Amino acid sequence: MKRNTGQDLELVKQWRPATQMVRGGTMRTEVGETSEAIFMTSGYCYDNAEEAAARFRGERPGMTYSRLQNPTVEMLEKRIALIEGAEAARATATGMAAMSGMLLSTLSAGDHLVAGRALFGSCRVLVDSILPRFGIETTTVDARDVDAWAKARRPNTKAFFLETPTNPGLDLCDIRAIADVAHDAGALVMVDNAFASPIVQKPLEHGADIVAYSATKLMDGQGRVLAGAVVGSEKWINDTYLAFARHTGPNLSPFNAWVVLKSLETLDLRVRRQCDNALKLAAWLESRVPRLVYPGLPSHPQHALALRQMTAGGTIVAMHLDGGRPQAQALLDALTIIDISNNLGDSRTLMTHPASTTHASVSEAVRAEMGITEGMLRLSVGLEDVDDLIDDLDQALKSAGL
């Protein structure tokens, strides 16, 4: 590959996804490095004063400040856009920076947002508590019910916000049907796709307008850095999001961008193996726990939608134990391989008690509304030998009386 081949987007778009994940967006310096370079710089220098002024006027190409542009971050953004099938992407310091930036750059005082009620805990706090402080009206609905979205629309509704599969209950939302309802009202559709990743699901192909990620999860996938991303049309990125980012500073560091770039090279391999492991674990667990939820199993109430909208069942499994928090914690404490952690999407298998960790910031009433019970456990399946994971869960279940 020549120095600038990876930046030739018309050429790179013709490559197949696995090639894009390894080489898309790559920009080599005159040194000819194999791996992408890390540009650890806060700012840039100019040959003369007029060059600086022209760049700031937007009349000449070139970078001005790493809050806005950085070569390493730009390579990551171009690669994520390619993988997603989007026109443009912007990287952020965290997943929540992506979620909040997506919403706050689009909505103003007097606007109305409709959101699925089952969201990551911080996203639910954002919808319920933070946006209303800025005069933005919000309504939450059962995201599985397309009619509920339609009934929640108002003349000032500007956006729909949903997560599918939901965190942590693994409900599914019909993106295409919801998008039709939103677009009929002139509203944008925003999707948190962190649980699925672009390997399992591409919301833009189903009618979504903007997709946001916690790239901390599967995109990095090895528990090393925090990162996020928003993807969408060039018009929305440039006209709506960029001005917000310019003046609020949710930018990603070059080093973290480089780490995620390296991870994207193996994203397809990792996610497919993790999905295979999750399916095997879910099938084994189904007869061992009172209630198990996994989109890839026929027992999931929306399995037909999963087959239509997703390429696999995903890497997350949810289970509900009748013994409540004491039994859930007993199972967690008995694990020997699987880690107790609030993270997900890691190469290591992780188990979480959402009611006391990821969703502890929302009220008990809201947790009940979202289907989060005291006996619920979320299992993020990694890359270990699935038989070792089964053995570990088998002894832990027995220790917890199951």
Side-chain angles (χ1 to χ4, degrees):
M1 189 173 83
K2 303 299 186 292
R3 273 182 55 191
N4 296 317
T5 301
Q7 295 280 305
D8 184 348
L9 295 184
E10 292 306 312
L11 173 63
V12 173
K13 285 177 182 177
Q14 299 175 34
W15 296 347
R16 292 166 179 81
T19 306
Q20 291 176 342
M21 282 180 233
V22 175
R23 294 182 175 272
T26 298
M27 175 177 57
R28 288 186 175 136
T29 71
E30 65 279 0
V31 175
E33 65 278 355
T34 302
S35 180
E36 295 84 359
I38 306 175
F39 289 84
M40 295 297 291
T41 181
S42 59
Y44 306 91
C45 299
Y46 316 96
D47 288 338
N48 54 66
E50 178 53 31
E51 172 69 17
R55 286 197 200 179
F56 273 82
R57 290 195 301 265
E59 295 174 357
R60 293 185 192 174
M63 303 201 171
T64 58
Y65 195 54
S66 278
R67 176 154 45 84
L68 297 175
Q69 313 111 333
N70 177 277
T72 310
V73 177
E74 185 179 273
M75 284 189 274
L76 174 64
E77 291 169 342
K78 289 185 176 180
R79 189 170 298 178
I80 288 175
L82 283 165
I83 296 170
E84 193 70 33
E87 291 179 356
R90 293 292 293 191
T92 61
T94 68
M96 283 311 302
M99 304 299 161
S100 59
M102 172 179 68
L103 292 166
L104 288 169
S105 65
T106 302
L107 302 170
S108 300
D111 291 341
H112 177 239
L113 170 75
V114 185
R117 68 188 183 193
L119 299 167
F120 172 56
S122 293
C123 286
R124 188 62 195 261
V125 171
L126 182 63
V127 169
D128 290 347
S129 302
I130 298 176
L131 293 181
R133 289 172 49 201
F134 294 92
I136 299 166
E137 302 171 24
T138 64
T139 302
T140 56
V141 299
D142 182 345
R144 298 167 296 183
D145 183 355
V146 177
D147 289 338
W149 291 93
K151 292 175 182 176
R153 292 179 302 184
R154 301 177 188 173
N156 59 334
T157 300
K158 292 295 192 295
F160 285 9
F161 177 39
L162 60 101
E163 178 183 40
T164 182
T166 61
N167 183 358
L170 299 177
D171 296 330
L172 303 185
C173 311
D174 189 329
I175 300 171
R176 174 61 64 184
I178 294 169
D180 288 344
V181 171
H183 294 157
D184 186 56
L188 295 172
V189 176
M190 303 172 169
V191 178
D192 175 354
N193 201 40
F195 256 39
S197 86
I199 305 303
V200 172
Q201 180 174 266
K202 293 188 176 182
L204 296 179
E205 294 181 354
H206 299 281
D209 300 291
I210 306 159
V211 182
Y213 284 100
S214 170
T216 309
K217 308 304 190 292
L218 289 164
M219 284 191 180
D220 173 41
Q222 289 154 86
R224 298 172 299 186
V225 298
L226 299 179
V230 290
V231 301
S233 67
E234 284 190 6
K235 179 175 176 54
W236 181 82
I237 291 288
N238 293 332
D239 296 350
T240 300
Y241 180 79
L242 190 57
F244 175 87
R246 178 191 302 269
H247 301 296
T248 58
N251 47 303
L252 179 64
S253 79
F255 178 77
N256 285 9
W258 181 83
V259 172
V260 179
L261 267 170
K262 295 291 94 186
S263 294
L264 291 182
E265 295 177 4
T266 60
L267 180 65
D268 183 76
L269 298 173
R270 288 185 286 105
V271 171
R272 293 188 189 283
R273 170 67 179 271
Q274 287 172 261
C275 288
D276 289 345
N277 281 354
L279 178 60
K280 292 173 185 175
L281 265 183
W284 178 84
L285 274 169
E286 194 166 28
S287 63
R288 292 292 303 275
V289 297
R291 180 177 166 227
L292 181 126
V293 185
Y294 181 66
L297 290 179
S299 57
H300 193 286
Q302 297 167 290
H303 181 61
L305 176 58
L307 293 177
R308 185 169 74 248
Q309 190 167 272
M310 303 165 66
T311 62
T315 65
I316 310 295
V317 179
M319 65 185 84
H320 296 261
L321 309 183
D322 292 339
R325 185 179 294 200
Q327 190 173 44
Q329 290 184 333
L331 191 155
L332 288 169
D333 290 345
L335 295 168
T336 60
I337 295 176
I338 299 169
D339 288 308
I340 304 170
S341 176
N342 55 290
N343 200 15
L344 63 93
D346 201 287
S347 58
R348 303 159 188 82
T349 300
L350 311 173
M351 189 174 277
T352 304
H353 182 249
S356 62
T357 58
T358 58
H359 290 72
S361 59
V362 300
S363 68
E364 185 176 349
V366 170
R367 288 199 298 270
E369 180 184 79
M370 296 170 70
I372 300 173
T373 65
E374 288 292 323
M376 178 187 235
L377 290 167
R378 186 188 72 193
L379 182 66
S380 173
V381 183
L383 294 172
E384 303 93 343
D385 189 298
V386 72
D387 289 329
D388 285 331
L389 298 176
I390 287 173
D391 289 345
D392 193 24
L393 283 167
D394 183 43
Q395 63 83 24
L397 286 164
K398 289 175 180 175
S399 180
L402 293 163

